[in-house]
Amino acid sequence: MRKIEVSPSILAANFANLGAEVKKIESIADYVHIDVMDGHFVPNLTFGLIVAKAVKRITNLPLDSHLMVDNPENLVDEFCEISEIVSVHYEATYHLHRLIQRIKEKDVKAFVALNPHTSVELLQDILMDVDGVLIMSVNPGFGGQKFIPNALNKIRRLNDIKRKTGLTFKIEVDGGINEETFESTLNAGVDILVAGSYVFGSEDPVRAIKTLKGQPKKISEG
Ligand code: DX5
Ligand code: ZN
C-alpha cells in the first residue's frame, strides 16, 4: 500500500496558542508545515526562524519548511538546522542548482516549489537533484483559498516523468486540500498532502488528518 503523508500547515492554527495547536496533531501528522512569507515574494508576511524554532522545541514531528521568500539563499542554512524538508521556489532564486546542493549538503531533503503558472517541464534539468517537488494548487500567500484544478494536470505530468525516468522524488501538493479535493490529487500521484484550514479549522484535527490518510479509490498505475 502506498504511504500517504500529511503535513498540516500551522498557517491556519491559532497563533495565540500555537504550542497546543501543534500538540493536537502530533499523534498522527507526518510533518508540521511551516509557511514562511516575506511580504515580497508573496503579498503576505507570516513568521520566520524564531517561531519555527519555537515549534521545533515543542514537538517531535519533523518540520517541512516552505520558504515563500525572495533570496531564499539568505535563510536556508538556518532552516536546514531545524527542518527535515526545505522547499524553495523555482521563481525565487537565480541559482536553483546551487541552492538545492546547499540544502542536500546539510542532509536535509531539498524540494523545489512551483507556483501555479510554472510548468513542471521547466524542471527537466534539476529533477535528478531534488528530493521532491511541491506543487502549489493555490497562488501562495494565503490559507483558505480554492484549489486550482490545473494542479492535477501538473501532478500527472510529473508522475509521468517519474515513470519514464525512474526518478524517485516525492510529489507534495499545497493549497485548497480538503475532503473534496484530496482524492483527485492522490489519484494523480501525490505522496504528501499539505492542509491548513481543513485540519486546523476542523473541530477534530485528528479526524481530518485520518480522512486525508484514507486510501484513494484508485491509485494511478506506476
Ligand atoms: C499558501 C501556503 C499553504 C497554506 C495552505 O501560500 O503555502 O501552505 O497554508 O492553506 P490551505 O490548506 O488553507 O489552503
Ligand atoms: Zn505551504
Side-chain angles (χ1 to χ4, degrees), residues 2-221:
R2 190 169 57 141
K3 185 170 189 264
I4 306 301
E5 293 186 310
V6 176
S7 186
S9 166
I10 57 167
L11 189 60
N14 174 6
F15 273 75
N17 211 350
L18 193 51
E21 293 276 86
V22 172
K23 287 289 166 198
K24 283 184 193 167
I25 59 160
E26 197 160 44
S27 64
I28 178 135
D30 297 282
Y31 304 92
V32 184
H33 187 80
I34 303 285
D35 281 312
V36 181
M37 304 187 188
D38 66 350
H40 292 270
F41 180 69
V42 289
N44 194 11
L45 192 61
T46 54
F47 53 80
L49 198 62
I50 292 174
V51 171
K53 276 186 172 167
V55 171
K56 175 76 185 164
R57 275 196 296 274
I58 58 102
T59 185
N60 293 322
L61 288 173
L63 302 195
D64 165 27
S65 298
H66 177 194
L67 305 184
M68 286 162 278
V69 301
D70 279 336
N71 305 316
E73 301 73 20
N74 298 341
L75 280 184
V76 283
D77 290 346
E78 284 167 303
F79 271 91
C80 281
E81 299 293 321
I82 57 168
S83 307
E84 181 156 318
I85 297 175
V86 170
S87 288
V88 291
H89 269 263
Y90 177 89
E91 305 85 2
T93 180
Y94 290 120
H95 300 290
L96 184 61
H97 183 273
R98 178 185 289 149
L99 191 54
I100 293 291
Q101 306 307 326
R102 196 157 134 195
I103 295 168
K104 292 202 307 184
E105 274 164 20
K106 309 233 178 232
D107 278 331
V108 172
K109 293 189 180 110
F111 280 37
V112 56
L114 296 186
N115 280 340
H117 72 278
T118 307
S119 293
V120 297
E121 286 74 18
L122 290 170
L123 298 181
Q124 187 180 355
D125 292 297
I126 193 73
L127 277 179
M128 62 293 274
D129 291 302
V130 302
D131 296 295
V133 179
L134 174 58
I135 297 287
M136 290 306 302
S137 40
V138 296
N139 282 293
F142 303 93
Q145 302 182 80
K146 202 164 167 282
F147 182 84
I148 299 173
N150 187 54
L152 295 175
N153 190 4
K154 292 172 72 174
I155 295 162
R156 281 189 210 108
R157 275 149 53 209
L158 252 188
N159 215 25
D160 275 352
I161 296 171
K162 276 179 80 166
R163 268 203 297 266
K164 284 181 189 142
T165 59
L167 291 170
T168 56
F169 60 84
K170 300 277 183 200
I171 305 179
E172 182 172 16
V173 66
D174 184 4
I177 295 297
N178 56 39
E179 60 198 358
E180 274 145 36
T181 54
F182 83 102
E183 273 198 320
S184 57
T185 70
L186 297 181
N187 288 337
V190 156
D191 304 290
I192 308 172
L193 297 161
V194 177
S197 11
Y198 179 65
V199 170
F200 286 107
S202 156
E203 280 190 2
D204 187 348
V206 169
R207 203 175 60 196
I209 295 171
K210 279 187 180 159
T211 301
L212 298 179
K213 280 175 172 268
Q215 285 295 305
K217 290 186 186 101
K218 176 179 159 287
I219 298 177
S220 57
E221 293 302 313

